[in-house]
Amino acid sequence: MKIKPDIENQRLTRKIQGLDESLRIKEIDVVEERPLTLFLNSQEIVTMMTINDYPKYLAIGYLLNQNMIKKEDELTGVDFDDDTSTIIVRTKRKTNFENKLKKKTLTSGCAQGTVFGDVMESFNNIIFDDSYKLKLEWIYQLSKKINLTPSLYLKAGAIHGCVLCKKNVPIIYMEDVGRHNAIDKIAGYMFLNKISSNDKIFYTTGRLTSEMVIKSVQMKIPIIISRSGFTAWGVELAKQANLTLIGRAKGKKFIALSGEHRIEKK
Amino acid sequence: MKIKPDIENQRLTRKIQGLDESLRIKEIDVVEERPLTLFLNSQEIVTMMTINDYPKYLAIGYLLNQNMIKKEDELTGVDFDDDTSTIIVRTKRKTNFENKLKKKTLTSGCAQGTVFGDVMESFNNIIFDDSYKLKLEWIYQLSKKINLTPSLYLKAGAIHGCVLCKKNVPIIYMEDVGRHNAIDKIAGYMFLNKISSNDKIFYTTGRLTSEMVIKSVQMKIPIIISRSGFTAWGVELAKQANLTLIGRAKGKKFIALSGEHRIEKK
């Protein structure tokens, strides 16, 4: 794996003491969430709650997945300031999202909360071809490898994971309090490291909601695998984009509700 | 229970056919998510994704928890239109949130996505007294009763539940694709039915993030129980408000990280 959870990083978890069911003192590891305020050039965009392990990947991935910057955009600077917990992304192209920021849709589930109208427009223009296939065994091989990787989830719980995979190999494993952050951090990493998307698979611990499908299509990743369940609109959007949507992946079990034709037995 | 999940409601789930791990055709129940656009008087506030079983409770609860309407406010009308999936809440008092809507914080986890600055201000003014106590046995009695109640979660998965309880009795059990919606629907129900809050307990299936604690404090409910885990800032805010925060409640196990003094052995 190029990136995996850093369970030794003292900034990401904290030991907190409480009482257990026998009213005995017990100490557990708890995950941190910190505010991070994002500026695009001179404009304040949003304040996010994040474990803040990769502010630059998060900021760039967020802006990409919100269509606020484009893959072609030239970044002239990305400055993170730890004291004020702000990050400024600077682009050569002038940007202004005054109006865009007014009109938003709250998405469901463990969602980053907003999808903008023009994101849906670009969504409607993307339909995956069938070129990329998925071997049946990869599904549980990936689940097993990911579940056995030491993670903040195993250490402290209450965190989501999202993993970019190629074939049966996990490549980039990001975690965050909000699943949307984990996805955006992967998007930012892919952008900065020019990683191709159409031969990749997304593994997520979270539910397969409309918002998850929209982000995956934005990122041009044709296959999503989740240990969790589906929403009906998530399935509809996946079918529209010819995205392979595999949920309830536990042990060797799973169910695919969209793009099943990509799954090959051998 | 005054309200429990309506698993027979054909609008809330859909049967979808797919392939299982043996590549055999399998049909499962999948939960619906629908957009609902909320207007406060003449102003469009937000579009939410919801199962939309209780649009009026959701709309009113959302506005209350965002401090856009106050408990004292007189509602002159709440009109839901199914065809356009819009709901309009009308108040006697003039309202205008142009500026408020520009400035938001994305909260973590299965969060509704936004908390406004003035919500934090009012949060800082609320500190619960110790009058309301919690019997140890209530914790697992509530978990058991709630987990055994037929629900959309048991039927279709991929949905969150939030239950308002008094002592060891679940009263209002709401589910939604976004946990924040389930909470807001309870807030709307409590407002319209004038239900007291300071003698109640919140049970949630979701994580105990900052946003969950903020909403519970907004609603003046002094105790939260979750089968899921904590975030550090959620615990900090709970301690600040003297809120009892109980997580990882499974079977007879749990851990309390804030307000443990409310728990009584017998």
Side-chain angles (χ1 to χ4, degrees):
Chain A
M1 268 185 241
K2 285 182 181 162
I3 292 187
K4 62 176 78 173
D6 179 7
I7 60 174
E8 300 309 323
N9 184 338
Q10 298 302 319
R11 281 175 55 89
L12 304 187
T13 58
R14 189 190 310 181
K15 289 196 180 301
I16 301 183
Q17 209 176 63
L19 291 184
D20 69 7
E21 61 278 1
S22 329
L23 301 186
R24 272 191 300 258
I25 288 173
K26 185 177 180 182
E27 189 177 70
I28 61 169
D29 292 299
V30 175
V31 70
E32 296 281 359
E33 52 177 339
R34 296 189 171 80
L36 175 67
T37 300
L38 169 61
F39 289 78
L40 176 55
N41 297 313
S42 61
Q43 184 173 28
E44 178 174 346
I45 301 297
V46 72
T47 297
M48 306 180 255
M49 296 305 301
T50 171
I51 61 174
N52 209 18
D53 51 348
Y54 296 106
K56 292 189 181 190
Y57 296 150
L58 176 57
I60 293 168
Y62 175 89
L63 293 171
L64 281 167
N65 282 337
Q66 297 291 6
N67 276 2
M68 289 180 169
I69 60 176
K70 311 230 168 301
K71 288 213 167 49
E72 316 76 66
D73 266 319
E74 187 182 323
L75 303 187
T76 54
V78 183
D79 306 320
F80 171 59
D81 179 48
D82 205 356
D83 303 334
T84 58
S85 67
T86 55
I87 187 159
I88 306 172
V89 175
R90 296 191 172 83
T91 59
K92 197 168 183 183
R93 176 174 62 98
K94 290 238 171 305
T95 56
N96 178 6
F97 295 108
E98 267 306 310
N99 296 322
K100 177 169 180 156
L101 288 168
K102 284 184 200 162
K103 172 77 177 159
K104 62 184 195 302
T105 298
L106 292 184
T107 54
S108 55
C110 302
Q112 163 249 46
T114 60
V115 167
F116 296 106
D118 62 332
V119 172
M120 281 314 293
E121 281 161 37
S122 66
F123 176 91
N124 293 328
N125 297 328
I126 300 170
I127 295 173
F128 294 109
D129 64 36
D130 293 341
S131 55
Y132 190 64
K133 300 293 184 185
L134 170 72
K135 290 209 189 317
L136 186 60
E137 59 188 19
W138 295 353
I139 297 169
Y140 57 80
Q141 286 167 346
L142 283 173
S143 300
K144 192 177 176 189
K145 286 175 186 173
I146 291 162
N147 295 338
L148 293 177
T149 303
S151 63
L152 295 172
Y153 176 76
L154 293 174
K155 183 182 183 183
I159 193 162
H160 274 296
C162 195
V163 189
L164 186 74
C165 312
K166 183 165 186 177
K167 296 183 173 173
N168 63 349
V169 182
I171 305 169
I172 305 163
Y173 187 161
M174 293 284 193
E175 291 180 293
D176 213 311
V177 277
R179 181 192 57 185
H180 47 88
N181 290 342
I183 300 167
D184 288 342
K185 284 188 282 191
I186 289 178
Y189 181 92
M190 291 174 76
F191 175 84
L192 289 173
N193 296 278
K194 302 195 170 33
I195 292 180
S196 66
S197 58
N198 56 8
D199 59 344
K200 298 298 188 300
I201 300 166
F202 244 143
Y203 177 94
T204 173
T205 60
R207 293 175 292 160
L208 298 167
T209 60
S210 55
E211 186 249 1
M212 182 62 190
V213 171
I214 290 164
K215 275 184 186 286
S216 188
V217 169
Q218 280 281 102
M219 293 167 69
K220 307 259 176 44
I221 295 170
I223 297 171
I224 313 179
I225 301 171
S226 172
R227 72 172 68 146
S228 187
F230 307 83
T231 67
W233 198 40
V235 174
E236 255 178 56
L237 291 174
K239 286 175 188 269
Q240 181 190 324
N242 190 32
L243 177 99
T244 297
L245 202 62
I246 296 166
R248 303 185 182 181
K250 283 177 184 156
K252 293 205 170 188
K253 288 189 165 299
F254 70 81
I255 179 161
L257 292 189
S258 170
E260 306 95 312
H261 55 272
R262 282 202 187 83
I263 304 172
E264 291 177 334
K265 195 141 196 169
K266 267 276 144 278
Chain B
M1 269 185 240
K2 285 181 179 165
I3 292 187
K4 62 176 78 173
D6 178 9
I7 61 173
E8 300 309 323
N9 184 337
Q10 298 302 317
R11 280 175 56 89
L12 304 186
T13 59
R14 190 191 309 180
K15 290 195 179 303
I16 301 184
Q17 209 175 63
L19 290 184
D20 69 8
E21 61 279 1
S22 325
L23 302 187
R24 275 191 298 258
I25 287 172
K26 184 178 180 180
E27 188 178 70
I28 62 169
D29 292 300
V30 174
V31 69
E32 297 280 359
E33 52 177 341
R34 297 189 171 80
L36 175 67
T37 300
L38 168 61
F39 289 78
L40 176 55
N41 298 312
S42 60
Q43 183 172 28
E44 178 174 346
I45 301 296
V46 72
T47 297
M48 306 179 259
M49 296 304 301
T50 171
I51 60 173
N52 208 19
D53 51 349
Y54 296 105
K56 292 188 181 189
Y57 296 150
L58 176 57
I60 293 167
Y62 174 88
L63 293 171
L64 281 167
N65 283 337
Q66 296 292 4
N67 276 0
M68 289 179 167
I69 60 176
K70 311 230 168 301
K71 289 214 166 48
E72 315 77 66
D73 265 319
E74 188 183 323
L75 303 187
T76 53
V78 184
D79 305 320
F80 170 60
D81 179 48
D82 205 358
D83 302 333
T84 59
S85 66
T86 56
I87 186 158
I88 306 173
V89 176
R90 295 190 173 85
T91 59
K92 198 168 181 183
R93 177 175 61 99
K94 290 238 172 308
T95 56
N96 179 3
F97 296 107
E98 266 307 310
N99 296 320
K100 178 168 180 157
L101 287 167
K102 285 183 197 163
K103 172 78 178 161
K104 63 182 192 305
T105 298
L106 292 185
T107 53
S108 55
C110 301
Q112 161 252 43
T114 60
V115 168
F116 296 107
D118 62 331
V119 172
M120 279 315 293
E121 282 161 35
S122 67
F123 175 91
N124 292 327
N125 297 328
I126 300 170
I127 295 174
F128 293 109
D129 63 37
D130 292 342
S131 56
Y132 191 64
K133 300 293 183 185
L134 170 73
K135 291 206 189 322
L136 187 59
E137 59 186 20
W138 295 354
I139 297 169
Y140 56 80
Q141 286 168 346
L142 283 173
S143 299
K144 191 176 175 189
K145 286 176 186 173
I146 290 162
N147 294 339
L148 292 177
T149 303
S151 63
L152 295 173
Y153 176 76
L154 293 174
K155 183 182 184 184
I159 192 162
H160 274 296
C162 194
V163 189
L164 186 74
C165 312
K166 184 167 186 177
K167 295 181 174 175
N168 63 350
V169 183
I171 304 169
I172 305 164
Y173 186 161
M174 294 284 193
E175 291 181 295
D176 213 311
V177 277
R179 181 193 55 185
H180 46 86
N181 290 342
I183 300 166
D184 288 343
K185 284 188 284 192
I186 289 178
Y189 182 92
M190 290 174 77
F191 175 85
L192 289 173
N193 296 277
K194 301 191 172 39
I195 292 180
S196 65
S197 57
N198 56 5
D199 59 344
K200 298 298 188 299
I201 300 167
F202 244 143
Y203 177 94
T204 173
T205 59
R207 293 173 293 159
L208 299 166
T209 60
S210 54
E211 186 250 0
M212 181 62 190
V213 171
I214 290 164
K215 276 185 185 286
S216 189
V217 169
Q218 279 282 101
M219 293 167 69
K220 307 257 175 42
I221 294 169
I223 298 170
I224 313 180
I225 302 170
S226 171
R227 72 173 66 145
S228 188
F230 307 84
T231 67
W233 198 40
V235 175
E236 256 178 54
L237 291 174
K239 286 175 188 252
Q240 180 189 322
N242 190 31
L243 178 100
T244 297
L245 202 61
I246 296 166
R248 303 187 182 181
K250 282 176 184 157
K252 292 204 171 189
K253 289 190 164 299
F254 71 80
I255 179 163
L257 292 188
S258 170
E260 306 94 313
H261 54 273
R262 282 203 186 83
I263 304 173
E264 292 178 333
K265 195 140 195 171
K266 268 277 146 281

